[in-house]
Amino acid sequence: MAFPHLQQPSFLLASLKADSINKPFAQRCQDLVKVIEDFPAKELHTIFPWLVESIFGSLDGILIGWNLRCLQGRMNPVEYNIAMEFLDPGGPMMKLVYKLQAEDYKFDFPVSYLPGPVKASIQERVLPDSPLYHNKVQFPPTGGLGLNLALNPFEYYIFFFALSLITQKPLPVSLHVRTSDCAYFILVDRYLSWFLPTEGSVPPPLSSSPGGTSPSPAPRTPAMPFASYGLHHTSLLKRHISHQTSVNADPASHEIWRSETLLQVFVEMWLHHYSLEMYQKMQSPHAKLEVLHYRLSVSSALHSPAQPSLQALHAYQESFTPTEEHVLVVRLLLKHLHAFANSLKPEQASPSTHSHATSPLEEFKRAAVPRFVQQKLYLFLQHCFGHWPLDASFRAVLEMWLSYLQPWRYAPEKQAQSSDSQPRCVSEKWAPFVQENLLMYTKLFVGFLNRALRTDLVSPKNALMVFRVAKVFAQPKLAEMIQKGEQLFLEPELVIPHRQHRLFTAPTVTGSFLSPWPPAVTDASFKVKSHVYGLEGQDCKYTPMFGPEVRTLVLRLAQLITQAKQTAKSISDQCVENPAGHSFLSWLGFSPTDPNGLYPANDLDEMGQDSVRKTDEYLEKALEYLRQIFRLSEAQLAQLTFALGTTQDENGKKQLPDCIVGDDGLILTPLGRYQIINGLRRFEIEYQGDSELQPIRSYEIPSLVRALFRLSSTINRRFAGQMVALCSRDDFLGSFCRYHLTEPVLANRHLLSPVGQRQVANHARGPRLSLRFLGSYRTLLSLLLVFFVASLFCIGPLPCSLLLVLGYLLYAMAMTLLTERGKLHQL
């Protein structure tokens, strides 16, 4: 595509928009590459916002752009390769970003599309605690619409890239797309590997001018003062990149801001989502006073007033439900961050060797996870644990959580131990990580317990999740590290004098408060307390993972695991007894139909015996792991099994839900309610009313049943007296009529409700004719089959009907004699 250099920017943009409609994708990308190489930044900056939106889609989700979340190499290899080459960290699109970055262009990004907590705080004129937003908020002039962020080209590009995961509509369920094969997922991995390298340094940006570099973003003066909640951090590497305009400056310190910006944008866009209560708790009392004072002082400002607090908080409460794709991308980020942090050399990772000579990248590796990720990830996980549906899709959240809990899996030395079949012992060097992330292990474990107690553990997928968590926490020495962290947090303040002030003031390098106490214990205790109070507030009520309350939950889970194992075995035995074609024969009506079946539909029915064996294996191992973690004795587990009442009638098929006997009958316990909700047990409920008025079954024809009911009702009304007279006779004819025209006395049925027993006497009915059996598929198909077989022997419909009537009369006479003989024996 040859554009003369004298073209106006508006014409360039119009030409590209027209080409986006008329030209194929490959040709458009080739034209864009030539435009980026040939045109100066002065003309390219006008097409940059349009180009970013055309690639990643609009922020309102209407335009999908290149649809990178569905683009896969095996489905569309040509388009996939072209898009990946164009958007590669060293590709043409990033060259355009650096080209504009060198000229210090700024682009407006609307605040209304930021995550809820950020948008609410900015609209309240409260600056978020992330340095990503500092000196970037642009307030509209009087009468203007909305707030904007003034972003440099790199920030603008990464903002759109990260938000496209959130703002675009979820993928339809019918579209089976594997997230790890999609262009977006692979681009995230490439950007992380490029800007957060585990080996070497960050590659310098490509520049069109020899020896030129992209300047770091210059600070901007805010148009209006802000209050700030939380700790007001400046950029981690500000001392390295501020006021560096010389090309002779250290490239690593000059360009490290890209790595920091990328991580901050990913964390802010993907993890900064939590509830209103958490939003309020995150603000310290001092910050709340600052906000209140600021609102009072600026109430008569000339600028447009801030959004009222009630409206802002109402807007903030908009529900946010992360998708499974979102969670998988966050897990990719966490795994790479662990590898990034673990790439520190042993001498650099030690705090004692830290000095000002440490490179900015190494310092960033040390601080990336605890400073930028930990807090928002904890809140994000809490939100997912509390709001995610109780189904198997929670596995994605679970694996994301477990990936963060195991940084040793992404350490360089893990390959040397991967061949060992035994569980790897967690090294003592990870004790500081466990202690400084104590809530990630303990409080979220309690949250998972509460979820597990409400799920159907008979399902193989749910059983697998319990097994995965138990296996991770049962790794050798991990439980001891968690218990040690809890001891450090619960350590009384009176044991070490002058400790209280350390919870509210950050330690300084020149301070001497470490000298009076043993350094190892006091420093670790302070870090644990700082972590817990920083995430939960000074007034938090901590529930120890190894305390009595959690132990009670674990025992309840162990009890439900034992019950689920028994139920899985019962379902397995039931599947063995019933052949594969049973359901087809039931539909035809040639096998017994039980409308009050014991077990509802379960994925065990669809997946077969292999899933039953897997479920039993998962639950057995999970129970063993829980016993190891919490040091449960065999006697305790045996007592739980005995309490469940393991002696069941017919392998548990007749066992009632857990209940107690009250004045009015059986009363369900909480365990019994859980068993009924999840289909583990149920009462044997039979229809006790008028058999003619019972609901129409799935194996009956509704219109035919209603017509037969009207016909039989007419006959019963007209010949009621004759029926009573016939049934009153003491001879064989009377017995024959009673067999057909009367039903068993309700008093002889087993009634579970004591209320129903008092009302049995009122339900006696006289003799009547019932034709409902003719309305079932079973009867009609049986008759059709008989007529078809008779036709093969040259027997017409009328003779066949006479033979059927004669055969039934013989059958009915025999049943009458047997019934009368049974009554005589009962007397």
Side-chain angles (χ1 to χ4, degrees):
M1 179 178 181
F3 286 101
H5 285 279
L6 297 178
Q7 286 179 325
Q8 295 296 323
S10 58
F11 180 75
L12 173 62
L13 180 59
S15 300
L16 291 176
K17 288 183 177 180
D19 291 344
S20 66
I21 300 175
N22 302 322
K23 290 187 177 182
F25 180 75
Q27 184 62 39
R28 298 201 311 264
C29 289
Q30 293 178 4
D31 294 343
L32 286 173
V33 172
K34 289 187 64 66
V35 168
I36 293 172
E37 292 178 352
D38 297 344
F39 280 76
K42 182 178 180 181
E43 299 182 11
L44 292 175
H45 88 278
T46 59
I47 70 168
F48 183 67
W50 168 82
L51 180 58
V52 171
E53 186 177 87
S54 66
I55 294 174
F56 301 122
S58 58
L59 295 173
D60 55 12
I62 297 178
L63 302 178
I64 63 173
W66 290 5
N67 200 15
L68 298 175
R69 295 162 57 213
C70 296
L71 186 60
Q72 300 184 67
R74 60 185 179 86
M75 302 295 294
N76 301 291
V78 177
E79 293 185 2
Y80 173 84
N81 292 328
I82 293 174
M84 296 300 293
E85 183 179 353
F86 186 82
L87 299 175
D88 190 80
M93 189 64 191
M94 201 58 71
K95 290 181 182 178
L96 172 60
V97 171
Y98 296 144
K99 203 171 186 178
L100 298 175
Q101 189 78 27
E103 302 296 331
D104 197 26
Y105 284 108
K106 300 295 178 181
F107 300 91
D108 289 339
F109 186 92
V111 171
S112 58
Y113 292 107
L114 294 176
V118 179
K119 178 174 65 176
S121 61
I122 292 179
Q123 289 174 343
E124 287 272 315
R125 304 299 196 265
V126 180
L127 186 64
D129 58 350
S130 173
L132 184 65
Y133 306 104
H134 292 182
N135 303 324
K136 292 184 175 67
V137 180
Q138 297 294 304
F139 291 91
T142 305
L145 297 176
L147 302 170
N148 293 301
L149 298 178
L151 305 178
N152 62 52
F154 184 79
E155 293 169 336
Y156 188 82
Y157 176 81
I158 298 299
F159 262 70
F160 259 87
F161 176 75
L163 272 177
S164 64
L165 179 66
I166 309 296
T167 57
Q168 296 297 312
K169 296 179 181 179
L171 300 177
V173 180
S174 58
L175 184 62
H176 301 286
V177 177
R178 186 176 179 181
T179 302
S180 59
D181 294 336
C182 296
Y184 186 88
F185 188 89
I186 297 175
L187 276 175
V188 172
D189 187 44
R190 289 189 183 183
Y191 288 158
L192 290 173
S193 301
W194 184 280
F195 295 106
L196 304 176
T198 57
E199 297 180 359
S201 59
V202 182
L206 302 177
S207 176
S208 58
S209 59
T213 58
S214 299
S216 60
R220 297 180 64 89
T221 304
M224 195 172 184
F226 271 91
S228 175
Y229 66 82
L231 294 176
H232 188 90
H233 298 298
T234 57
S235 175
L236 171 66
L237 304 168
K238 184 177 180 180
R239 62 179 180 276
H240 295 289
I241 64 175
S242 60
H243 308 297
Q244 292 188 5
T245 56
S246 172
V247 295
N248 297 323
D250 180 12
S253 61
H254 186 66
E255 296 300 338
I256 197 66
W257 66 268
R258 292 179 299 147
S259 302
E260 186 181 351
T261 299
L262 180 87
L263 178 58
Q264 290 186 68
V265 172
F266 283 177
V267 170
E268 286 293 313
M269 299 304 111
W270 295 342
L271 299 180
H272 205 158
H273 306 274
Y274 40 80
S275 63
L276 173 63
E277 293 78 14
M278 192 63 66
Y279 169 76
Q280 294 173 333
K281 186 169 67 174
M282 288 290 294
Q283 301 187 56
S284 64
H286 174 70
K288 292 178 180 178
L289 289 176
E290 282 188 5
V291 174
L292 179 61
H293 175 74
Y294 170 76
R295 289 172 181 165
L296 294 175
S297 63
V298 301
S299 58
S300 58
L302 296 177
H303 293 82
S304 59
Q307 186 177 4
S309 174
L310 182 60
Q311 296 181 13
L313 293 181
H314 176 74
Y316 178 76
Q317 292 181 73
E318 294 177 356
S319 60
F320 173 78
T321 304
T323 62
E324 189 172 345
E325 178 190 17
H326 179 185
V327 172
L328 292 175
V329 173
V330 172
R331 187 191 180 205
L332 174 66
L333 171 66
L334 297 179
K335 291 166 65 175
H336 185 86
L337 284 175
H338 278 321
F340 179 65
N342 291 336
S343 64
L344 274 172
K345 298 178 181 179
E347 61 272 12
Q348 295 169 331
S350 176
S352 60
T353 61
H354 175 65
S355 65
H356 292 287
T358 305
S359 68
L361 183 61
E362 303 301 330
E363 184 181 353
F364 183 51
K365 288 181 179 181
R366 185 181 296 107
V369 173
R371 170 144 180 207
F372 293 107
V373 179
Q374 184 194 68
Q375 182 188 58
K376 292 183 175 64
L377 175 64
Y378 173 71
L379 300 175
F380 180 76
L381 284 170
Q382 272 198 316
H383 180 83
C384 291
F385 274 57
H387 296 81
W388 202 277
L390 289 172
D391 56 22
S393 65
F394 186 72
R395 173 78 185 278
V397 179
L398 189 78
E399 294 298 337
M400 173 182 65
W401 172 48
L402 297 180
S403 294
Y404 181 80
L405 298 186
Q406 303 177 86
W408 45 87
R409 291 183 56 191
Y410 313 101
E413 66 271 13
K414 73 177 181 69
Q415 288 82 2
Q417 304 180 14
S418 59
S419 60
D420 190 0
S421 59
Q422 298 296 327
R424 292 196 310 125
C425 182
V426 180
S427 173
E428 284 295 332
K429 76 172 188 176
W430 298 108
F433 178 87
V434 174
Q435 295 166 4
E436 293 168 20
N437 291 270
L438 185 63
L439 291 177
M440 292 285 194
Y441 291 90
T442 59
K443 187 166 184 179
L444 293 181
F445 179 82
V446 176
F448 175 76
L449 282 180
N450 291 322
R451 287 184 61 93
L453 291 172
R454 293 179 290 156
T455 55
D456 179 13
L457 299 184
V458 180
S459 167
K461 297 176 181 179
N462 292 334
L464 175 60
M465 287 192 283
V466 176
F467 162 74
R468 287 283 297 124
V469 173
K471 181 180 179 182
V472 169
F473 279 83
Q475 294 177 85
K477 293 190 177 180
L478 179 57
E480 289 80 358
M481 292 181 184
I482 298 174
Q483 198 165 11
K484 177 63 176 177
E486 290 191 326
Q487 291 173 358
L488 291 173
F489 174 73
L490 298 174
E491 178 183 283
E493 294 298 327
L494 297 178
V495 174
I496 302 177
H498 309 295
R499 171 73 66 82
Q500 182 65 30
H501 74 281
R502 301 182 65 215
L503 298 177
F504 300 95
T505 60
T508 60
V509 177
T510 58
S512 59
F513 52 79
L514 292 179
S515 55
W517 310 312
V521 176
T522 55
D523 184 61
S525 178
F526 170 68
K527 287 182 178 180
V528 174
K529 291 174 184 280
S530 299
H531 156 72
V532 174
Y533 291 142
L535 294 183
E536 289 290 329
Q538 296 286 339
D539 55 346
C540 73
K541 295 181 180 179
Y542 182 77
T543 303
M545 177 176 167
F546 294 93
E549 297 180 18
V550 177
R551 190 178 184 86
T552 302
L553 294 178
V554 172
L555 291 175
R556 283 184 57 195
L557 179 61
Q559 189 179 33
L560 293 178
I561 288 175
T562 305
Q563 173 62 46
K565 289 177 58 181
Q566 296 172 352
T567 305
K569 184 179 184 302
S570 300
I571 296 178
S572 176
D573 295 341
Q574 191 178 38
C575 294
V576 171
E577 293 173 2
N578 298 327
H582 173 73
S583 59
F584 177 72
L585 293 176
S586 297
W587 185 84
L588 291 178
F590 292 104
S591 63
T593 303
D594 182 14
N596 299 316
L598 182 60
Y599 299 110
N602 190 290
D603 54 1
L604 286 173
D605 303 332
E606 302 175 0
M607 303 179 68
Q609 294 298 311
D610 290 340
S611 292
V612 177
R613 286 192 292 268
K614 287 182 180 179
T615 299
D616 187 71
E617 180 182 352
Y618 291 148
L619 295 178
E620 182 68 30
K621 291 183 177 180
L623 197 60
E624 175 61 23
Y625 287 139
L626 290 175
R627 188 187 67 80
Q628 296 175 12
I629 297 169
F630 294 93
R631 300 179 180 89
L632 302 177
S633 63
E634 294 291 345
Q636 287 177 303
L637 297 180
Q639 185 178 5
L640 290 176
T641 305
F642 179 77
L644 283 173
T646 55
T647 55
Q648 303 176 3
D649 297 331
E650 298 182 9
N651 292 328
K653 297 177 185 178
K654 301 295 183 180
Q655 189 175 11
L656 298 179
D658 189 69
C659 51
I660 59 177
V661 180
D663 296 336
D664 294 328
L666 300 179
I667 301 175
L668 282 174
T669 64
L671 175 61
R673 286 193 292 270
Y674 168 85
Q675 292 167 342
I676 291 180
I677 292 174
N678 292 281
L680 302 179
R681 300 183 191 176
R682 63 181 299 170
F683 290 103
E684 298 177 28
I685 301 177
E686 299 177 358
Y687 184 78
Q688 303 271 341
D690 188 351
S691 58
E692 288 292 293
L693 300 178
Q694 63 179 315
I696 297 176
R697 307 296 184 183
S698 59
Y699 53 84
E700 294 178 322
I701 304 175
S703 58
L704 186 57
V705 169
R706 297 187 181 98
L708 292 171
F709 175 74
R710 288 193 292 268
L711 176 61
S712 59
S713 299
T714 303
I715 295 175
N716 291 332
R717 286 195 300 269
R718 180 169 299 182
F719 301 101
Q722 292 86 330
M723 291 182 185
V724 172
L726 288 173
C727 293
S728 301
R729 298 178 57 162
D730 297 331
D731 54 5
F732 179 80
L733 180 61
S735 300
F736 187 85
C737 292
R738 285 194 295 271
Y739 175 78
H740 288 89
L741 301 179
T742 60
E743 56 183 347
V745 182
L746 292 178
N748 295 333
R749 297 183 182 180
H750 176 64
L751 297 179
L752 297 178
S753 173
V755 179
Q757 293 178 354
R758 293 191 293 265
Q759 300 176 354
V760 168
N762 300 329
H763 288 81
R765 299 185 184 91
R768 57 179 179 171
L769 177 67
S770 177
L771 301 176
R772 180 163 179 164
F773 72 98
L774 294 175
S776 68
Y777 292 106
R778 173 191 303 180
T779 304
L780 297 179
L781 290 176
S782 300
L783 292 175
L784 288 176
L785 183 61
V786 169
F787 281 113
F788 174 74
V789 173
S791 66
L792 297 179
F793 294 94
C794 301
I795 301 176
L798 184 59
C800 182
S801 301
L802 293 176
L803 289 175
L804 286 175
V805 172
L806 179 61
Y808 178 76
L809 287 175
L810 294 175
Y811 168 79
M813 292 171 63
M815 292 300 299
T816 300
L817 293 174
L818 293 175
T819 303
E820 290 297 322
R821 183 174 299 178
K823 291 181 178 179
L824 291 175
H825 282 295
Q826 291 179 0
L827 294 175

